[in-house]
Amino acid sequence: MEAAYRIETERTVLRCWEPKDAPLLSAAVESSLDHLRGWMPWAAGEPKSLDERAEFLRAMRAAFDRDEEYVYGIFNRDESAVIGGTGLHRRDDGNCLEIGYWVHVDWIGRGLATEISMALTNAAFELHKVDWVEIRCDPSNARSAAIPHKLGYSLDATLRRRRTTPQGQPEGTMIWSLFADEFPQSPAAAVKISAFDALGRELV
Ligand SMILES: CC(C)(COP(=O)(O)OP(=O)(O)OC[C@H]1O[C@@H](n2cnc3c(N)ncnc32)[C@H](O)[C@@H]1OP(=O)(O)O)[C@@H](O)C(=O)NCCC(=O)NCCS
């Protein structure tokens, strides 16, 4: 298995974070805080100082290099701006990876999370050879749930009261999945990704 350190999509570059991305990531998070707070539990610990951000990115980078999980920055094509964060996260219930995502508030509503999730679904099956890919989201997060639905994932279950919202309300979790034998016929397989290893060699 070869981890993709860089994936190019039509409008974005997904790449392994580097500590020096801290200022661009801080700018993106800070301008999107209101939009993130309802949905991303980590937003409660924001804003972070630049040093804390760099430490966080060092930890993400280390986990990536150790093949523990693959957290990517989402950049515009010339990499002058961070337009979100995404990742392939391991789950301990089988040979699967879970996709997570958030998009900078100024970039939402343009199909970018769909484009990115399509690319990571491809990477999970073609490079990591997983048996299935999962996407989890709150039942009330209609924008997020629209993404696995569009990509051909099935809703396996909605678990009740799995977390508490920042407003103190119990909230459930939807579990969407796509299996390896379903992938070739799914809308998620409609693109071919350009993925590159740590040496910059093309993978797929
Ligand atoms: C969820 C999120 C990643 C979506 O990013 P995005 O780039 O805007 O997503 P896309 O444009 O690819 O797709 C969003 C879909 O939701 C739909 N949508 C938008 N607003 C909606 C609403 N109020 N109700 C239902 N669907 C809605 C859009 O129409 C679009 O579907 P379409 O392409 O079929 O029209 C972004 O809103 C975000 O960062 N939210 C905060 C963090 C978050 O919730 N992360 C996910 C945690 S599971």
Side-chain angles (χ1 to χ4, degrees), residues 35-36 39-40 101-103 107-114 136-137 141-144 146-147 150:
H35 152 75
L36 295 171
W39 310 111
M40 308 306 279
Y101 40 68
W102 64 271
V103 171
W107 295 77
I108 58 172
R110 308 182 196 184
L112 283 171
T114 306
R136 295 183 169 224
C137 70
N141 196 345
R143 286 181 184 166
S144 183
I147 293 160
K150 271 187 285 184

Side-chain angles (χ1 to χ4, degrees), residues 48-68:
K48 284 183 162 61
S49 70
L50 207 53
D51 285 337
E52 288 170 325
R53 186 85 59 202
E55 268 314 302
F56 167 79
L57 293 179
R58 263 164 50 85
M60 291 300 104
R61 168 91 206 186
F64 199 113
D65 288 337
R66 288 197 297 260
D67 284 307
E68 290 168 3

Side-chain angles (χ1 to χ4, degrees), residues 40-92:
M40 308 306 279
W42 52 259
E46 294 287 348
K48 284 183 162 61
S49 70
L50 207 53
D51 285 337
E52 288 170 325
R53 186 85 59 202
E55 268 314 302
F56 167 79
L57 293 179
R58 263 164 50 85
M60 291 300 104
R61 168 91 206 186
F64 199 113
D65 288 337
R66 288 197 297 260
D67 284 307
E68 290 168 3
E69 65 175 344
Y70 307 99
V71 176
Y72 293 93
I74 309 172
F75 296 81
N76 57 352
R77 285 294 303 210
D78 66 10
E79 296 180 51
S80 59
V82 166
I83 58 177
T86 189
L88 289 169
H89 306 278
R90 289 201 194 282
R91 301 200 52 84
D92 49 18

Side-chain angles (χ1 to χ4, degrees), residues 114-170:
T114 306
E115 181 175 315
I116 288 150
S117 302
M118 198 182 264
L120 288 187
T121 302
N122 273 266
F125 287 121
E126 304 285 356
L127 304 175
H128 297 276
K129 308 289 182 198
V130 295
D131 294 333
W132 80 94
V133 181
E134 262 179 43
I135 294 180
R136 295 183 169 224
C137 70
D138 293 358
S140 53
N141 196 345
R143 286 181 184 166
S144 183
I147 293 160
H149 180 70
K150 271 187 285 184
L151 296 183
Y153 285 61
S154 295
L155 177 59
D156 290 340
T158 302
L159 309 180
R160 297 179 303 146
R161 294 187 242 172
R162 288 313 198 262
R163 73 175 192 99
T164 304
T165 66
Q167 295 74 35
Q169 300 302 314

